[in-house]
Amino acid sequence: MTEANGSENPVLRVENLCVDARTPEGLKRVLDDISFDIKPGETLCLAGESGSGKSVTSLSIMGLLPKASLRVASGNIILGDQDLTRLSNSQMRHIRGGEIAMIFQEPMTSLNPVMSIGAQLTEAIREHQQSDNADTIARQMLEAVQIADPARRLTQYPHELSGGMRQRVMIAMALSCRPKVLIADEPTTALDVTVQAQILKLMRELKGEFGTSIVMITHDMGVVAEMADRVAIMQHGRIVEQRASLDLFANPSEPYTRTLLSAVPRLGAFAGTDGPPRVSTNAPQTKEQATAPILNVQDMSVSYGKGSGMLFRRQAPSATVRNISFQIMPGETMGLVGESGSGKSTTGKAVLGLIPFSGSVELDGYDISRLSHHEMRPVRRSAQMIFQDPYASLDPRMSVGKAIAEPMTIHGIGTAAERRERVADLLRRVGLTPDAATRYPHEFSGGQRQRICIARALALEPKLIVADESVAALDVSVRAQVLDLMLELQETMGLAYLFISHDMAVIERMSHKVAVMRGGEIVEAGTRREIFENPRDDYTKALMQAVPVPDPTVYRRSAGSLG
């Protein structure tokens, strides 16, 4: 991190910005009196949970608010000597990309899938620089963001690049016209922890090289600590606290800021313990020691390369799983950790019999490799899955009550009245009220939707739940609530979890045992204490070292500057 010169004039000022949303009931204030500035070469982080107004603020600065639903009610956005709120659409087109650029959260949806990388890069360069050397500049920008073989990458399409490479392309595109201000809206949320570390390091280096000011939008306080010179904490459309990064982390003044910081999982917080912390006072203190595993995987392999369809022949080799073995006992959590493409999700689907595999998988005493589709049906009651995206996992046309009851209906469990009572009980168990059954998924927050998915998974009273990145998309405080809920359910119901994640701190919090995957293989496995307190494999050590630490003094010391 670099400290901006306090005597310099701000490159961007936001003054008393208010934004209204058009609703059937009338106008609703969604941004209220937002003010901040940013100096040349400075990084300002806007931090807060989903719905706090961070992205609406960035879209207001870029002049990209959807006019049908949002409008700037009052306030000023000053870039240099221009008030952006008074410019026409035509004038803003010259500002966007040239003087202010933006990196969006999901690069795959931000890049045009039918245009090559080179065509998309050169389009922006020609528009804002009127340059005859657009191809040369595009190649140089890919080199600047450390993409190997840039000439070949320019001819490729977005789907041919990894998530980390696509994000590097977005950064190259945003910086290609040397903007004064770069707005980065959750630029690392969807990335693996090691790729995230590379992208953040790259952004710091490019800021120094190009002198660009950065407005970083994030809900990850570890990222804030690593990147920010100053921090503005947002809640319910207002800035509740705005201070220098070191001051804010050392002595936060607002209760909401303290809540955000306390909810951040910290690697090493559970050192010296053998299992997750107890969170339920209702759970029995002692349990009968299980003698047989609920899941026993021996020499399991999955390969998409041998299928007959085009989809399988074109599948990336990284999705293949090779000769992995592990066991999960009743009431135990096996944490499965690794980067995207390591085979974690493929493993989770295979152990539930959702995709073909070779080897042996025993689920609740049944060797599912020997069972037909019809024979698998009663066995499926023993294991259920919670997916990463709670909104995509629920049918938007189906009420919450029907969604939770559907597994019971399929398996012919109970009468309609009994199923309704069971749904109400499940909603109460996951911290929702029974009247939620009549509502639809879009009426709930992300954390509430994930609770609904957990209730649906519990409908058949399973013994094993496969949780595939089940909290990755949640805000840090909501994530803590959902993790506590899952631990409470495990303690009171004796559930076993195969908990899949790329977040080492979350894995440490949840697991009794850990398996580290890379390239379709388990490179290291052991108890939680063995893996986190004495890792042996270099890859495991790299994953742990890449976890952002919610303490800016760590990064100041490593940069040789305590500011």
Side-chain angles (χ1 to χ4, degrees):
M1 290 179 293
T2 60
E3 294 289 348
N5 187 340
S7 63
E8 289 187 87
N9 292 324
V11 65
L12 176 71
R13 301 197 314 276
V14 176
E15 301 173 342
N16 310 113
L17 179 66
C18 296
V19 173
D20 290 338
R22 296 180 175 90
T23 71
E25 293 76 28
L27 293 177
K28 177 182 178 182
R29 183 62 45 95
V30 292
L31 284 187
D32 189 9
D33 199 28
I34 299 297
S35 296
F36 61 84
D37 59 43
I38 182 168
K39 295 181 172 62
E42 184 181 35
T43 297
L44 171 72
C45 277
L46 299 181
E49 296 175 300
S50 296
S52 61
K54 307 185 302 296
S55 293
V56 174
T57 301
S58 68
L59 293 175
S60 300
I61 295 171
M62 295 293 292
L64 293 175
L65 288 176
K67 297 187 183 303
S69 56
L70 292 169
R71 69 178 184 91
V72 174
S74 60
N76 307 100
I77 303 171
I78 311 297
L79 177 69
D81 57 359
Q82 298 184 89
D83 186 346
L84 303 186
T85 63
R86 300 182 182 276
L87 299 185
S88 65
N89 288 334
S90 176
Q91 291 171 315
M92 278 303 299
R93 278 197 296 271
H94 293 289
I95 298 292
R96 284 192 294 264
E99 297 188 56
I100 302 181
M102 189 166 180
I103 305 169
F104 294 92
Q105 179 172 349
E106 177 46 64
M108 192 60 186
T109 56
S110 303
L111 294 169
N112 191 327
V114 299
M115 289 178 66
S116 69
I117 298 301
Q120 296 184 65
L121 270 170
T122 55
E123 181 182 46
I125 295 167
R126 291 192 177 100
E127 171 69 21
H128 294 285
Q129 295 192 34
Q130 309 296 321
S131 174
D132 295 329
N133 299 317
D135 293 332
T136 300
I137 296 173
R139 187 177 66 255
Q140 290 172 344
M141 289 308 304
L142 290 188
E143 291 172 350
V145 297
Q146 300 170 19
I147 289 182
D149 196 3
R152 182 169 69 90
R153 300 301 184 190
L154 288 170
T155 66
Q156 292 182 309
Y157 290 80
H159 72 274
E160 298 180 79
L161 305 182
S162 69
M165 290 178 66
R166 287 195 292 265
Q167 196 63 288
R168 288 171 187 263
V169 169
M170 289 292 297
I171 295 173
M173 190 179 300
L175 292 175
S176 62
C177 298
R178 308 292 179 96
K180 297 176 182 176
V181 178
L182 175 65
I183 300 175
D185 189 359
E186 300 278 10
T188 62
T189 296
L191 302 180
D192 294 318
V193 63
T194 51
V195 179
Q196 172 179 271
Q198 295 167 11
I199 293 296
L200 295 178
K201 180 175 182 290
L202 173 65
M203 291 181 68
R204 292 195 303 272
E205 292 172 349
L206 292 174
K207 183 180 77 166
E209 179 180 348
F210 291 93
T212 301
S213 302
I214 297 177
V215 179
M216 172 77 77
I217 296 171
T218 184
H219 64 255
D220 188 329
M221 297 306 288
V223 171
V224 173
E226 183 169 348
M227 294 294 293
D229 298 309
R230 285 189 298 118
V231 186
I233 302 294
M234 296 191 68
Q235 182 186 28
H236 304 318
R238 297 181 63 90
I239 292 178
V240 297
E241 186 166 4
Q242 184 174 181
R243 298 163 65 187
S245 178
L246 285 170
D247 294 339
L248 182 132
F249 278 85
N251 187 29
S253 61
E254 291 294 321
Y256 178 66
T257 307
R258 292 194 290 270
T259 298
L260 285 180
L261 291 174
S262 64
V264 177
R266 295 171 185 260
L267 201 61
F270 302 101
T273 60
D274 296 314
R278 293 184 65 85
V279 298
S280 173
T281 57
N282 299 322
Q285 293 296 314
T286 59
K287 295 190 179 103
E288 293 184 11
Q289 187 66 34
T291 57
I294 183 66
L295 180 65
N296 186 8
V297 178
Q298 297 296 323
D299 298 320
M300 186 185 76
S301 297
V302 180
S303 178
Y304 293 132
K306 295 181 180 179
S308 58
M310 180 62 72
L311 171 63
F312 295 101
R313 291 200 298 271
R314 293 175 64 90
Q315 182 69 39
S318 59
T320 303
V321 171
R322 293 184 291 277
N323 300 317
I324 66 170
S325 301
F326 60 88
Q327 293 182 338
I328 303 178
M329 303 299 288
E332 182 179 64
T333 298
M334 163 70 83
L336 196 60
V337 65
E339 296 175 298
S340 297
S342 62
K344 307 186 304 298
S345 295
T346 299
T347 298
K349 293 172 185 175
V351 301
L352 295 181
L354 300 178
I355 56 176
F357 62 87
S358 61
S360 172
V361 174
E362 290 186 6
L363 178 58
D364 198 19
Y366 294 89
D367 185 348
I368 67 173
S369 64
R370 300 178 181 273
L371 300 182
S372 67
H373 179 75
H374 178 73
E375 293 170 326
M376 269 295 297
R377 184 164 179 167
V379 180
R380 291 193 193 282
R381 291 184 57 177
S382 299
Q384 294 290 298
M385 195 164 194
I386 304 171
F387 295 94
Q388 176 174 350
D389 187 341
Y391 193 73
S393 304
L394 297 168
D395 188 334
R397 299 166 298 179
M398 186 179 287
S399 71
V400 163
K402 288 184 178 179
I404 296 174
E406 186 180 36
M408 294 184 282
T409 304
I410 291 172
H411 286 270
I413 298 174
T415 64
E418 290 170 338
R419 288 194 290 268
R420 284 195 296 272
E421 182 57 35
R422 172 73 172 153
V423 166
D425 179 63
L426 288 169
L427 286 169
R428 283 190 288 265
R429 186 176 283 273
V430 299
L432 298 174
T433 55
D435 63 358
T438 61
R439 297 159 62 191
Y440 288 82
H442 72 273
E443 300 179 68
F444 296 88
S445 68
Q448 290 173 323
R449 287 196 292 264
Q450 197 61 293
R451 289 172 181 266
I452 292 166
C453 290
I454 293 172
R456 178 183 165 96
L458 294 174
L460 298 179
E461 299 184 340
K463 300 176 182 178
L464 171 72
I465 287 181
V466 177
D468 189 3
E469 298 281 11
S470 56
V471 296
L474 303 180
D475 292 322
V476 61
S477 58
V478 178
R479 180 190 307 172
Q481 296 167 13
V482 172
L483 292 177
D484 282 345
L485 170 64
M486 295 180 71
L487 289 174
E488 179 186 359
L489 293 171
Q490 182 175 56
E491 293 169 9
T492 56
M493 301 175 66
L495 291 171
Y497 292 126
L498 176 60
F499 195 90
I500 298 170
S501 180
H502 64 257
D503 189 324
M504 294 294 284
V506 169
I507 288 288
E508 183 190 27
R509 173 179 172 80
M510 293 295 294
S511 303
H512 299 87
K513 299 187 299 189
V514 179
V516 182
M517 290 195 72
R518 185 183 191 187
E521 298 178 339
I522 292 178
V523 298
E524 185 169 5
T527 66
R528 187 185 71 178
R529 184 180 292 190
E530 289 170 342
I531 297 300
F532 283 94
E533 297 183 29
N534 188 29
R536 301 182 303 276
D537 192 87
D538 290 340
Y539 178 66
T540 306
K541 296 175 184 177
L543 287 177
M544 295 174 66
Q545 291 169 357
V547 176
V549 180
D551 182 355
T553 61
V554 172
Y555 302 102
R556 298 297 178 105
R557 285 196 296 267
S558 65
S561 170
L562 286 169

